[in-house]
Amino acid sequence: MRILFTYIGALIVCFQTHAQVEEMIIGDNNNGQIVSSDLTGGNLDTITSAYFSFYDADVDEVNERLYTAWYYGIYSMNYDGSALDTIVNYPSGGYSNGITIDVRDEKLYWVSTDEDLILTAD
C-alpha cells in the first residue's frame, strides 16, 4: 500500500493505493539465468537458463511479454520464458543496459551502450 499526501489550502488529503504485485523477475547474471520469486525473495523459480540473463527489463502487460536488455542484445519472451525472440543481436557483447516499453504507442526504447544512442522500434 502506498499513501500519498496532497496539500490543498489548509487541508491534507490522504489517498491510498494498492499494488497487486505478486512476484519479481530477477536477472541472475552470476548463473546466466532469469528467475522469478515472491516479494520476499523466496520461492525461486527458473524462467530460462539457456545462459541468458539481463541488465534491465520491462514488462508489456497487454501482450504478456517480458523485454530484456542484455550484454548481447535486446530480447523478448513470454512470461514463462517461451517464444524467445531476438530483437537485436550483438555477438561481440557490451550492447545494452537499459530498456523501456511504451505500451500505449507500441514502442520499445533501449540504450545502445556501444554507440551512445537511445534507439526505438515498433
Side-chain angles (χ1 to χ4, degrees):
M1 176 174 44
R2 186 172 63 165
I3 300 175
L4 306 171
F5 292 94
T6 303
Y7 181 74
I8 303 174
L11 301 173
I12 296 178
V13 181
C14 174
F15 300 94
Q16 296 181 1
T17 60
H18 301 272
Q20 299 298 321
V21 177
E22 296 176 4
E23 65 179 10
M24 298 185 288
I25 306 239
I26 305 160
D28 183 357
N29 291 324
N30 290 334
N31 296 308
Q33 61 187 4
I34 298 175
V35 298
S36 66
S37 78
D38 62 28
L39 295 180
T40 67
N43 297 316
L44 290 174
D45 186 28
T46 300
I47 295 173
T48 182
S49 62
Y51 203 80
F52 184 89
S53 186
F54 62 84
Y55 297 139
D56 194 16
D58 202 0
V59 174
D60 176 354
E61 294 177 3
V62 173
N63 298 300
E64 297 184 351
R65 298 284 289 175
L66 173 66
Y67 287 82
T68 63
W70 193 41
Y71 191 73
Y72 297 106
I74 306 296
Y75 307 90
S76 73
M77 68 188 80
N78 293 331
Y79 288 169
D80 64 0
S82 65
L84 177 65
D85 289 329
T86 301
I87 297 169
V88 175
N89 184 29
Y90 198 74
S92 61
Y95 186 69
S96 183
N97 58 7
I99 194 166
T100 192
I101 301 284
D102 177 353
V103 176
R104 188 191 74 189
D105 292 328
E106 298 181 351
K107 296 283 185 186
L108 174 66
Y109 297 90
W110 70 92
V111 175
S112 169
T113 342
D114 230 19
E115 302 165 311
D116 292 326
L117 295 173
I118 297 174
L119 301 172
T120 186
D122 293 331

